[in-house]
């Protein structure tokens, strides 16, 4: 039996400005606003029952990679995203 976790399926809803995934029935998400070509990350949310699994990290990394592919800069307006950029300095060139 294979007990390794399956990869997260992250959905980018460009109309609603969200990145989301469902883990054990709980929706985890990042909300952002688009200011020209700057993604302003306004909220990162992972419900407590599925917290501590690195989900916010994976969501943020996915959002950052999408922004980079689109040529956007990023302004981390929520505390989690700001801390994420401090821990992942290799993405500092994307900061607005």
């Amino acid at each position: 039996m294979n007990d390794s976790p399956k990869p997260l399926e992250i959905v980018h809803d460009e109309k609603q400005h969200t990145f989301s995934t469902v883990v054990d029935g709980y929706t985890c998400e990042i909300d952002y606003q688009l200011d020209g070509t700057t993604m302003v990350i306004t909220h990162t949310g992972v419900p407590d029952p599925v917290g501590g699994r690195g989900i916010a990290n994976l969501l943020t990394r996915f959002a950052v990679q999408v922004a980079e592919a689109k040529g956007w800069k990023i302004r981390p307006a929520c505390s989690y995203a700001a801390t994420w950029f401090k821990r992942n300095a290799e993405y500092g060139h994307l900061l607005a």
Side-chain angles (χ1 to χ4, degrees):
M1 185 161 78
N2 184 353
D3 287 334
S4 62
K6 67 178 187 171
L8 292 181
E9 181 182 333
I10 299 173
V11 175
H12 180 201
D13 185 333
E14 291 192 58
K15 289 183 179 176
Q16 295 296 318
H17 294 162
T18 63
F19 292 91
S20 64
T21 189
V22 176
V23 178
D24 295 346
Y26 295 93
T27 300
C28 310
E29 65 186 359
I30 285 180
D31 300 323
Y32 70 93
Q33 296 172 349
L34 206 51
D35 182 8
T37 58
T38 300
M39 174 191 283
V40 181
I41 299 176
T42 57
H43 173 74
T44 303
V46 175
D48 288 341
V50 294
R53 300 185 192 180
I55 298 165
N57 173 56
L58 293 172
L59 280 168
T60 304
R61 186 173 304 276
F62 187 85
V64 166
Q65 291 170 345
V66 168
E68 185 172 36
K70 291 182 172 286
W72 297 345
K73 291 292 187 179
I74 301 170
R75 186 166 358 115
C78 83
S79 60
Y80 180 86
T83 299
W84 188 92
F85 272 97
K86 289 177 186 167
R87 293 180 183 155
N88 296 276
E90 67 271 24
Y91 292 102
H93 65 283
L94 295 174
L95 291 170

